Amino acid sequence: MLNPKIGQYLKSSYPADIVDALISAYSEVLRNYRIERWKPSELDAGHFVEAARRIVEHEIFGTTTPLAKAMGSFSPAVLSKYESATGDEAFRILIPRVLFSIYCIRNKRGVGHISSISPNKMDATFILSATKWVLAELVRTVTASNPDDAHALTDAILERELDLIWDDGESFVIMDNKLKAEQKVLVTLYKRDRYSIDEIQSLIGYKNRTRFKSIVERLRSDNLIDIVQESICKISPLGIREAERIIENT
């Protein structure tokens, strides 16, 4: 579930119905990826591309195609039209090229049409990463005046997707019950950094607060995490390596 601030910021700059369509499509891409439904995940990316193209057009042309009207195919000529416009190169070049790559995979790799290549995790992972980047870039531009929100919201979008963790916005479950509490803390912070001590304790279901604080302090003394602003935990480069070792061995 996306932070509501993302939609609020985007709607301050772009038509609300287009923002809602963008967020809905992104949420479906993410949801289907998490439950390993590769074809629906990649199909929903087509809707994401259509909504994001409308935002690009709104930004560089000042007007865009209404949702009720079809946009037509995303061709190299359309890409060239965007690139030859004036304005921020993120909207003229970078975002359109990423969207075009999503569009091509969605249309030419057995998703939208029959192909020798069936929908698969490799393509779905690329599409998910690309949609995350586009959404984060859009959020970065509309939160430029608020660096704290920009950092927090883009980090939340770009958090890692781990098979070890079931996190659908309502449930957060570390699927391997054999992991020790220290290991659960590290993989939780590896997925999304900067949780508070209380948040981590709740997420991993550790009951004894006193013992849990001792676990966190031990991780800190081993340079696997740091604690800032009194209670916010950050995973260190050493902690990242240890979390990746844990993930590889589960």
Side-chain angles (χ1 to χ4, degrees):
M1 185 178 297
L2 284 174
N3 189 314
K5 279 188 174 182
I6 290 173
Q8 293 166 12
Y9 269 114
L10 290 172
K11 288 176 183 179
S12 69
S13 297
Y14 308 116
D17 59 341
I18 294 176
V19 171
D20 286 340
L22 180 85
I23 290 175
S24 176
Y26 171 79
S27 298
E28 285 301 302
V29 170
L30 182 57
R31 186 182 72 85
N32 282 306
Y33 182 90
R34 283 173 170 167
I35 59 177
E36 299 189 0
R37 296 179 66 199
W38 310 131
K39 185 172 183 177
S41 179
E42 295 175 48
L43 277 170
D44 287 319
H47 295 160
F48 180 88
V49 169
E50 290 187 5
R53 280 182 61 194
R54 286 173 164 86
I55 289 177
V56 167
E57 290 185 352
H58 185 279
E59 187 72 31
I60 62 177
F61 300 139
T63 184
T64 190
T65 306
L67 282 179
K69 184 178 179 181
M71 296 194 76
S73 64
F74 194 178
S75 66
V78 172
L79 199 60
S80 178
K81 180 182 176 182
Y82 293 158
E83 293 181 355
S84 62
T86 58
D88 190 333
E89 69 176 13
F91 289 92
R92 294 188 301 105
I93 300 172
L94 301 179
I95 293 174
R97 289 186 180 184
V98 174
L99 293 174
F100 190 65
S101 68
I102 296 171
Y103 178 85
C104 289
I105 286 182
R106 189 257 185 207
N107 281 3
K108 299 182 182 297
R109 300 275 282 191
V111 181
H113 306 283
I114 295 174
S115 168
S116 60
I117 302 175
S118 299
N120 57 79
K121 185 175 183 179
M122 180 180 71
D123 289 351
T125 299
F126 169 79
I127 284 177
L128 175 62
S129 297
T131 56
K132 279 177 176 284
W133 183 89
V134 170
L135 183 59
E137 181 67 2
L138 293 174
V139 169
R140 181 192 65 79
T141 63
V142 297
T143 56
S145 62
N146 191 328
D148 289 340
D149 273 359
H151 179 78
L153 295 176
T154 54
D155 274 3
I157 293 167
L158 297 171
E159 69 178 21
R160 297 173 174 92
E161 300 301 324
L162 303 180
D163 293 338
L164 179 60
I165 295 178
W166 171 32
D167 177 16
D168 62 1
E170 294 179 320
S171 301
F172 185 99
V173 180
I174 297 176
M175 306 304 287
D176 189 343
N177 291 326
K178 296 179 181 178
L179 293 184
K180 297 178 181 178
E182 293 92 335
Q183 295 173 311
K184 291 181 178 181
V185 171
L186 289 177
V187 298
T188 298
L189 289 173
Y190 181 81
K191 177 172 173 59
R192 184 192 297 180
D193 206 5
R194 301 181 68 88
Y195 276 122
S196 71
I197 293 174
D198 288 345
E199 286 173 327
I200 300 171
Q201 182 181 352
S202 175
L203 287 171
I204 71 171
Y206 199 92
K207 302 299 183 183
N208 189 300
R209 177 170 173 76
T210 300
R211 283 206 294 267
F212 186 73
K213 290 187 73 174
S214 297
I215 289 169
V216 171
E217 286 296 337
R218 187 160 61 249
L219 290 170
R220 184 186 196 183
S221 67
D222 289 341
N223 297 323
L224 295 171
I225 68 170
D226 193 15
I227 303 173
V228 298
Q229 300 172 6
E230 296 185 356
S231 66
I232 302 299
C233 297
K234 293 171 57 180
I235 192 167
S236 72
L238 184 62
I240 289 173
R241 291 198 293 273
E242 178 61 18
E244 289 176 343
R245 186 193 66 78
I246 294 167
I247 292 164
E248 289 172 0
N249 290 325
T250 55

